[in-house]
Amino acid sequence: MWEELTSLEAWVHSNAGMMHFICALYALVTGPILFISRKRGWFHRLLGASFVFVMLALNTSALTIYGMGRFNLFHLFAIISLATLLPALFAISQAIRTRKRIWYTVHAHCMVWA
C-alpha cells in the first residue's frame, strides 16, 4: 500500500494533473515565504510575481481537471482564487502609483483569499 501512495502515478493521471501538482507544490512553498518576507522589497516583488503566475496556472489547470467527477467544491475554490488575483494585481498597481496605504491593505486581503 505504501508504494501505491508514494508513486507519482497514484497522484497524477494527465498532463494537466502534472502541471497542477507542480504548481501546487510551488505555491505551497512560496506562499508562506511571501507571507513572512519583508514587504515592498525586491525579493517579495520577484517571488510575488512568480507566485501570481503559478497561481493562474494552478487554478486554470484545476478547472480543466474533471477526473474527480463533476463540478465540486475544489472547482469553486479555484474560481474564488482567480477572482481575487485580479483585484490584488489592480490594488498593488494602484498602491505603487498612488502610494496610498489603503491599496496595500486591499492587496494583502485579496492575496490572502487567493
Side-chain angles (χ1 to χ4, degrees), residues 39-112:
K39 309 305 184 258
R40 300 183 194 164
W42 67 269
F43 179 74
H44 184 82
R45 288 181 184 181
L46 180 66
L47 198 59
S50 69
F51 181 78
V52 167
F53 177 76
V54 167
M55 286 300 290
L56 289 172
L58 176 71
N59 290 315
T60 303
S61 66
L63 294 173
T64 64
I65 298 172
Y66 286 97
M68 298 184 310
R70 56 188 163 84
F71 188 86
N72 59 37
L73 195 58
F74 293 111
H75 295 101
L76 178 64
F77 289 148
I79 291 170
I80 291 170
S81 181
L82 281 172
T84 57
L85 274 174
L86 296 177
L89 291 175
F90 176 75
I92 198 62
S93 70
Q94 291 298 318
I96 292 169
R97 189 175 67 76
T98 65
R99 296 288 183 205
K100 291 186 178 177
R101 188 145 186 85
I102 186 69
W103 288 114
Y104 290 107
T105 305
V106 170
H107 170 72
H109 284 280
C110 289
M111 288 309 293
V112 166

